[in-house]
């Protein structure tokens, strides 16, 4: 089976609907052949309890005609992963998520087997796409929990920076811009992953990976991606661009 | 001797002068009795080499009438720290800085002794103030290097978030605001430091600590601080407020 990934930059659409208009069509296509979603709530946005987070997410997937179980609702996590028809990792804090992934015995190899070997659909948004990269080093989140490693699920051979954004026009803020931070990732010798490509994924845009093909999708007014390669000028690609060549890096 | 800390939110003033008008007077007062500054360049903004970073910083301190040595210019780091008249840790990437602090044998206890017991002036800006907190968990930086711990110099009993900012008016960005991220620090049960106060330090503002007294200083148009306490509404305090009570938390 081939990889089948839907990587969504941000979960809320312009009307603040959860997994709303910006990705609804992509969700339907990705989940066309499955009836059930296994949800991983470990990123816990704003520290909300897993039950509350799951209720929100379940309601949305039920609207889309899919049943959903959260991994925290089962005692047999590896059994649940082994039977999963599809997996969704939602947004929140990437460090919390990464710690739970690392500290849940067998979770990372089991998820990798289901997605990379068995080809079940994987959906991630925000923190849920930081963890599909080789490392979580291009997250925007605060490091509120210390994971013992920054290396993660490694479904794709590049880093993604979700919620990619340029400074608002006229901004006087003196902190680093997002592009500055990504340049720092590439320029700092102590970062042993500094040769990896980084894809800045604008809000409302998504990456769709099917086997060896990748495209950036989203509403026509979403901005697609900016690709940062070590030592080169960033390149922009609008929605509907074929980005398969980035999977071969 | 008593603690003598100058904690600067950001290094560039509105005209982009390094350690410029927003903190020049505070620098002069803090360094009034010393002739020499020991600089720690380990945060390496944008990954620039220590020599280049030091040249920039040395020029500015020379303008202020102070000689400066960088810690990377000496082979005897612990001797240099033992003799230091004052210490400046500059901005850059907090994870890079934290890793170097942890991995340089004896550096953290030596810095703590000089600052907390001997009372030499300590100046930090940006990343250089993340590390004076109990942990680096309220940094804004990307985690481009993995330190083996997030616990740091612990000069003050609270966390600081430098470059504190609210969303620009009319912003449509769907990522977490800075306040959201700080709330997440307080709300997430897996964060064993979640009971610590967090001080959001607006750009252009600085905290001045002398023994058991603390004040927020800066130009009159700088915004001071917002104090976040777990489970409470944030409180704002303008420049020139006596914040000594926060040292007793």
């Amino acid at each position: 089976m081939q990889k089948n990934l839907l990587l969504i930059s941000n979960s809320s659409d312009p009307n603040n609907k959860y997994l709303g208009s910006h990705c609804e069509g992509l969700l339907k296509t990705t989940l066309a052949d499955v009836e059930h979603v296994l949800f991983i709530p470990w990123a816990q946005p704003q520290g909300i309890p897993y039950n509350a987070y799951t209720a929100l997410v379940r309601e949305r997937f039920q609207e889309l005609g899919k049943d959903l179980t959260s991994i925290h609702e089962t005692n047999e996590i590896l059994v649940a992963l082994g039977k999963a028809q599809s997996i969704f990792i939602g947004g929140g804090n990437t460090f919390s998520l990464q710690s739970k992934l690392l500290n849940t015995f067998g979770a990372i190899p089991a998820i990798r087997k289901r997605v990379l070997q068995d080809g079940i659909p994987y959906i991630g948004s925000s923190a849920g796409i930081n963890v599909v990269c080789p490392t979580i080093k291009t997250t925007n989140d605060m490091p509120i929990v210390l994971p013992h490693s920054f290396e993660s699920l490694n479904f794709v051979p590049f880093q993604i920076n979700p919620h990619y954004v340029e400074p608002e026009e006229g901004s006087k803020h003196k902190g680093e811009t997002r592009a500055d931070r990504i340049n720092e990732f590439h320029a700092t010798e102590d970062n042993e992953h500094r040769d990896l490509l980084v894809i800045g994924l604008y809000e409302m845009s998504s990456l769709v990976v099917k086997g060896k093909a990748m495209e950036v999708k989203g509403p026509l007014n979403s901005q697609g991606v900016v690709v940062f390669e070590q030592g080169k000028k960033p390149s922009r690609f609008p929605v509907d661009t074929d980005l398969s060549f980035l999977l071969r890096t």
Side-chain angles (χ1 to χ4, degrees), chain A:
Chain A
M1 288 284 287
Q2 60 176 14
K3 258 192 278 198
N4 187 1
L5 315 178
L6 171 56
L7 310 176
I8 305 165
S9 185
N10 62 296
S11 56
S12 299
D13 79 3
N15 299 317
N16 288 321
K17 181 163 175 72
Y18 185 71
L19 299 179
S21 56
H22 63 304
C23 60
E24 183 173 294
L26 299 170
L27 278 167
K28 286 179 175 168
T29 309
T30 304
L31 296 175
D33 297 332
V34 309
E35 291 169 352
H36 190 271
V37 175
L38 181 65
F39 174 51
I40 298 182
W42 293 335
Q44 287 194 276
Q46 299 296 306
I48 60 165
Y50 296 152
N51 279 339
Y53 191 15
T54 299
L56 166 83
V57 175
R58 178 176 281 132
E59 186 182 348
R60 180 61 180 133
F61 277 90
Q62 280 175 344
E63 283 176 10
L64 298 169
K66 309 296 171 186
D67 287 330
L68 179 141
T69 304
S70 172
I71 202 162
H72 83 284
E73 296 169 330
T74 169
N75 289 320
E76 300 279 6
I77 284 178
L78 296 185
V79 173
L81 285 168
K83 292 194 299 190
Q85 293 180 22
S86 64
I87 294 172
F88 171 51
I89 301 188
N93 186 283
T94 305
F95 294 87
S96 295
L97 169 59
Q98 170 76 356
S99 292
K100 284 281 186 183
L101 279 169
L102 293 172
N103 295 338
T104 302
F105 180 75
I108 289 179
I111 296 170
R112 282 178 54 83
K113 176 183 182 297
R114 297 299 286 146
V115 174
L116 298 180
Q117 286 180 38
D118 302 340
I120 66 168
Y122 174 89
I123 299 160
S125 77
S126 195
I129 70 175
N130 282 126
V131 294
V132 308
C133 302
T135 80
I136 62 162
K137 290 183 171 182
T138 49
T139 177
N140 308 307
D141 295 336
M142 267 190 191
I144 60 174
V145 176
L146 176 68
H148 68 74
S149 169
F150 287 162
E151 297 193 2
S152 202
L153 290 168
N154 196 17
F155 291 165
V156 290
F158 45 74
Q159 292 291 124
I160 303 170
N161 177 247
H163 299 277
Y164 185 78
V165 67
E166 270 110 26
E168 314 257 344
E169 208 170 321
S171 170
K172 290 179 176 144
H173 193 66
K174 299 290 181 183
E176 288 95 342
T177 65
R178 198 66 67 77
D180 286 342
R181 295 180 191 284
I182 294 170
N183 288 336
E184 202 163 70
F185 171 92
H186 280 136
T188 299
E189 283 187 18
D190 287 348
N191 173 18
E192 69 272 31
H193 300 98
R194 68 184 181 283
D195 56 338
L196 292 172
L197 277 182
V198 180
I199 297 183
L201 184 60
Y202 282 100
E203 292 197 329
M204 307 306 156
S205 295
S206 298
L207 294 171
V208 176
V209 179
K210 292 234 169 134
K212 296 183 175 175
M214 179 165 75
E215 226 179 332
V216 53
K217 304 298 282 185
L220 286 177
N221 63 352
S222 67
Q223 293 176 271
V225 299
V226 188
V227 176
F228 295 82
E229 194 176 343
Q230 195 184 32
K232 295 198 181 165
K233 263 187 74 168
S235 312
R236 286 163 196 285
F237 299 95
V239 291
D240 297 331
T241 306
D242 180 350
L243 297 176
S244 307
F245 65 100
L246 296 176
L247 288 174
R248 295 190 290 270
T249 52

